[in-house]
Structures are given as C-alpha cells and as structure tokens.
Amino acid sequence: MEINNFKAYCDQFDRAATELGLDENLAALLKYPDRELSVELPLIREDGSLKVFRGYRIQHNDARGPCKGGLRFHPQVDIDEVRALSALMTFKTALVNIPFGGAKGGIHIDPTELTSRELEQLTRTFVRAISPIIGVHTDIPAPDMNTNAQIMAWIMDEYSQTHGYSPGIVTGKPISLGGSKGREEATGVGVSIALREAAKCRNIPLEGASVVIQGYGNVGSWAARTLHSYGCRIIAVSDASGGIFNPNGIDIPELQLHLKNSGSIHNSSLAEPIDNDSLLCLECDFLIPAALGGVIHKMNAECLNCKMVIEGANGPTTPTADEVLWRKNIPVIPDILANAGGVIVSYYEWVQNLQRHYWEEEEISTKMEKKLVDSFYEMSALAHSKKELSYRTAAFMISINRVASAVQMRGRTT
Ligand code: NAD
C-alpha cells in the first residue's frame, strides 16, 4: 500500500486544520486517539489446538458523546488501520451532528477460516477483553467488514450476562433483539442519497446514470439495490475474488436472487467477468468504492474514468490520489458524509434501546435522509464558498470545529 491508513487520515486532518488556522496544540489533541486497547484473544479450536488472535478497541474522542464505531474482522486489521478508522468516526458523527464521539475495533483474522462456533467463541472472548472500556454510555460497537447482526447479537448477549439486559451496548443487532428497522440497509441507502444529491449539483440525470461499485457486501449491495430503484444503470460490481460487468446495466434484483441461490455474484448470465483493477477504470458516471481502504491510490488514480467518486468504504482514496482526482476535476464525496447513513440509524437504534420504545421504519428513514441531506448541503456550501476547497476538506473543517468546541467547552484544554 502507498501510505498507511493513519498517515492518510493525518494528511486529511492537517489540511483542514491548516485551513481553519487551528492552534497547534489543540490540533494535536484532536488528531490522535484518546485511548487504545490491544488484546490477546486465545481460542481453542474444534480440533483441540490453540490459536491466539490480536484484537483492538480504540477510542478516538468522546467530547461530543459516547464513542461509537464498528468492529472489523479482517486479515488487514492492524493498530494503524483501527486508529484511522476511529478518528474518521469522530469526525463523521460530528459532521452529521449526532451526539457521539468516535471509536473503532477489530480482530486481525480471516473469519472464513473459523467455524461458526469458533467465531462465536472468539467474539465472546473479545467482548470480555474489551469490556473494561465499552459501555452503553461510554462506547458502543457496531458492524463493519465481515461482522453482522449475528455477531452483534453475541456481543449483546455476552455483555448482558455480566451487566444485565443491555441492548444499547451494541447497534446493528437483529430486530428481534432490539435492532432498528432500516439499520441493515442504512449505509448503502445513505450512499445512494449522497450520490443523488451530488448528481443534482453536477446536473447529471439519475435516470440511466452509469454506476460502478467495488465490493458487494452490506454497503455495496444495498447501494446497488437502491440506485437500481432510482433508475441508475449498475454496470459493474465486484467482491474480493473479482468483478462482473454488463455495459447495459446488471439486473440487480436478478443478481440478488442469484447470490441468494448460489452464494456468489459470479457465474451467471447477467454479466461478464472483469478483474478488480480494470473495474475501477471503467468509464462511468459514478464510482463507488465499497470495500477496503486505500484502493484508489497514486498508481491507479490517473486511470479513473468516472465523473464522481462516492466513498462507500472508509478511507478508500489516498491523499495522493485525492490530488490526482482534483486535477482531473473528479469530485470525491468523502466517506465521513457518504457512508454516514449507517451511524445515523445506529444512533436511532441506541435511542430506541434507551427508551425501550420502537419506531416505524418510515420515521427512521425520513429522519436519516433529512440529516444526511442537510449535512450534504452544509458541506457543499462551504466547499463552494472557496475556490480550492474539496468536499473532503470542507467536511473535516465543519466537524473539527464541532469537536474542538466541545473539547474546549468541557475544559479539556485548560
Ligand atoms: P462486508 O464485509 O459486508 O462487504 C465487503 C465486500 O467487499 C465483500 O463483498 C467483499 O468480498 C468485498 N471485498 C473485499 N476485498 C475486496 C477487494 N479487494 N476488491 C473488491 N471487493 C472486495 O463489509 P461492509 O459492511 O459492506 O463494509 C464495506 C466498507 O464500508 C468498509 O470500508 C466499511 O468500513 C465501510 N462502512 C460500512 C458500514 C456498515 O454499516 N456496514 C458503515 C460505514 C462504512
């Protein structure tokens, strides 16, 4: 990788802090995580052997509310990645103005190598290991790459065994355990709303607009389904093993059916295979990276052939690639805005858990859409107010200001 995730985030933060003229010491206080926990996780495998995994929970900042952020189970997880992702959560929750701080966690693991029972055991061990620092009013985990509602259910159960019934300890739970209607699809729907508003700003008609999506997991597949319902043409999608391409547009409901029946997006008559590198360079109106960080970098940014990038993933564009895209006049709608639909609905899930009172889906989706659209126009108004300001720097400026104000008003700088 061209640059590590934390350095990439620091570069983004520094640009905005410089633009704001932020005091050097305050900037340092806001830039780095408040607390980092690294844990060893022993697992007795079903064959009787012992395997030890490394896990992390990092709390970046809690000045505006309890820390909030997902858990990632992936072989690329390391402390720098979790640091960067925890910081992005602080500035994401501040940008969309929900009363949370930022955190992130994860385990360095390929979860496909474990049986379901082993995964459950490891998840429970992880909860016990990080339980000194998480809590309903201190730090609330959620799903991220390779974690899902079932894993959130195990987390809720493990934590509740020692703290009493605590649905508010985690979001992204199954609805039957206090999860929120609309949470599963919230991030992908939010990405689609961000794209829709960005299309209006650039006068690109949504009907027939061509879209390429990297990653067909939770975020990518819900973005595909929503954008398909808006009338967009999803011409290519991918997963870790490769992509599929159909210039006329993939029939997304049929692809969902194929995925459900075969367990894969590949090997159907709906589209032709395409490799993951070529997919990123396809000519299209919108490119949505919805998998890993750092995938648009200095080696491939020149080849991008889209009109806009909408960041479904966290940290998919490196700072060097950002500069290349700026020069090519390809605007980037940044992760902290584009994928914030998930954390907004997570916030509503937590509120419902605290109230023990549950809302209808329409109420949740209307509230989420308003928050996202308001935040979009706040960010774009600032970006358009100055010649050399990207959407990303504008988004960071708004959110850094909010966090700085909370830190100062709480007396943490005196
Ligand atoms: P997921 O595990 O459900 O799906 C990830 C997808 O990416 C899978 O289809 C996987 O096969 C694919 N993938 C992995 N490596 C790839 C590669 N090299 N090329 C192409 N595809 C690849 O994860 P998710 O929850 O959809 O998260 C995806 C991204 O969105 C992550 O960056 C995550 O941090 C971010 N995000 C997720 C949420 C959420 O609510 N789930 C919220 C905000 C941001």
Side-chain angles (χ1 to χ4, degrees):
M1 196 181 287
E2 163 193 333
I3 182 171
N4 91 21
N5 295 298
F6 189 64
K7 286 208 179 78
Y9 145 73
C10 287
D11 185 279
Q12 295 168 352
F13 179 96
D14 290 344
R15 275 169 206 242
T18 306
E19 197 67 45
L20 286 168
L22 205 66
D23 169 80
E24 207 179 293
N25 293 307
L26 180 57
L29 184 64
L30 300 183
K31 183 154 105 175
Y32 299 106
D34 286 348
R35 185 175 292 114
E36 302 185 347
L37 180 62
S38 166
V39 290
E40 285 223 305
L41 306 167
L43 173 74
I44 308 288
R45 301 211 52 185
E46 280 178 21
D47 65 6
S49 64
L50 170 70
K51 179 123 180 134
V52 182
F53 297 90
R54 170 68 51 187
Y56 308 94
R57 185 71 185 170
I58 296 187
Q59 298 171 340
H60 176 264
N61 190 289
D62 66 355
R64 300 184 67 260
C67 293
K68 186 84 189 86
L71 293 176
R72 181 175 286 196
F73 290 2
H74 195 274
Q76 269 186 26
V77 165
D78 64 21
I79 195 152
D80 269 343
E81 182 182 78
V82 184
R83 277 183 183 130
L85 293 169
S86 71
L88 291 181
M89 286 309 298
T90 297
F91 298 111
K92 190 182 302 183
T93 54
L95 180 66
V96 295
N97 216 351
I98 52 177
F100 278 147
K104 202 82 179 188
I107 304 178
H108 176 88
I109 185 187
D110 178 356
T112 60
E113 287 175 6
L114 298 189
T115 65
S116 173
R117 185 177 291 194
E118 288 170 341
L119 192 60
E120 176 177 350
Q121 264 180 24
L122 185 65
T123 302
R124 289 182 184 278
T125 304
F126 183 56
V127 174
R128 290 193 296 276
I130 65 169
S131 73
I133 67 164
I134 61 169
V136 176
H137 296 284
T138 47
D139 183 355
I140 306 130
D144 192 76
M145 279 192 82
N146 294 333
T147 56
N148 55 22
Q150 173 61 77
I151 292 176
M152 301 306 117
W154 293 329
I155 293 173
M156 182 270 208
D157 180 70
E158 187 64 34
Y159 189 85
S160 294
Q161 287 191 29
T162 44
H163 294 80
Y165 177 64
S166 309
I169 185 58
V170 70
T171 58
K173 297 177 293 293
I175 289 179
S176 58
L177 292 179
S180 179
K181 289 180 179 160
R183 174 59 186 92
E184 193 205 323
E185 59 268 45
T187 307
V189 172
V191 168
S192 311
I193 292 170
L195 183 151
R196 185 191 70 200
E197 299 308 312
K200 275 187 212 159
C201 292
R202 298 290 275 197
N203 292 321
I204 304 172
L206 264 193
E207 187 70 39
S210 52
V211 182
V212 169
I213 303 178
Q214 183 198 47
Y216 202 76
N218 174 284
V219 179
S221 71
W222 278 108
R225 280 177 265 186
T226 312
L227 291 168
H228 184 266
S229 76
Y230 288 178
C232 297
R233 233 172 354 118
I234 316 300
I235 61 168
V237 301
S238 63
D239 64 17
S241 62
I244 57 169
F245 171 52
N246 180 344
N248 300 318
I250 301 168
D251 184 332
I252 297 297
E254 280 299 316
L255 182 65
Q256 280 300 123
L257 210 58
H258 174 69
L259 178 61
K260 192 172 167 220
N261 294 335
S262 72
S264 160
I265 58 170
H266 302 284
N267 305 316
S268 81
S269 57
L270 299 166
E272 297 299 317
I274 183 170
D275 66 82
N276 273 336
D277 291 341
S278 311
L279 176 133
L280 284 178
C281 303
L282 284 171
E283 185 179 354
C284 61
D285 292 312
F286 299 98
L287 173 65
I288 304 178
L292 295 168
V295 292
I296 304 175
H297 45 72
K298 72 173 175 199
M299 306 299 280
N300 64 8
E302 277 304 343
C303 91
L304 257 59
N305 203 359
C306 56
K307 293 187 184 143
M308 288 190 104
V309 174
I310 315 288
E311 294 187 331
N314 283 311
T317 314
T318 68
T320 319
D322 253 344
E323 280 169 22
V324 174
L325 298 181
W326 179 264
R327 184 167 38 74
K328 282 167 65 95
N329 194 23
I330 300 177
V332 177
I333 303 300
D335 44 12
I336 60 172
L337 183 289
N339 69 32
V343 77
I344 295 172
V345 177
S346 272
Y347 166 58
Y348 298 144
E349 179 175 334
W350 181 72
V351 170
Q352 292 170 81
N353 293 154
L354 296 185
Q355 294 179 338
R356 303 281 198 270
H357 173 70
Y358 289 87
W359 313 342
E360 287 310 317
E361 185 156 1
E362 201 189 332
E363 185 176 356
I364 295 159
S365 58
T366 308
K367 280 190 159 88
M368 184 269 267
E369 179 159 355
K370 178 164 176 6
K371 242 188 193 313
L372 206 54
V373 171
D374 288 351
S375 308
F376 180 92
Y377 284 103
E378 196 178 3
M379 171 192 75
S380 70
L382 180 60
H384 296 153
S385 72
K386 261 182 130 176
K387 206 160 168 254
E388 291 290 309
L389 213 53
S390 67
Y391 286 123
R392 189 186 313 282
T393 301
F396 266 94
M397 286 167 70
I398 293 165
S399 51
I400 288 174
N401 257 336
R402 288 196 179 130
V403 182
S405 161
V407 164
Q408 286 170 315
M409 286 170 79
R410 289 182 70 155
R412 293 185 181 184
T413 51
T414 51

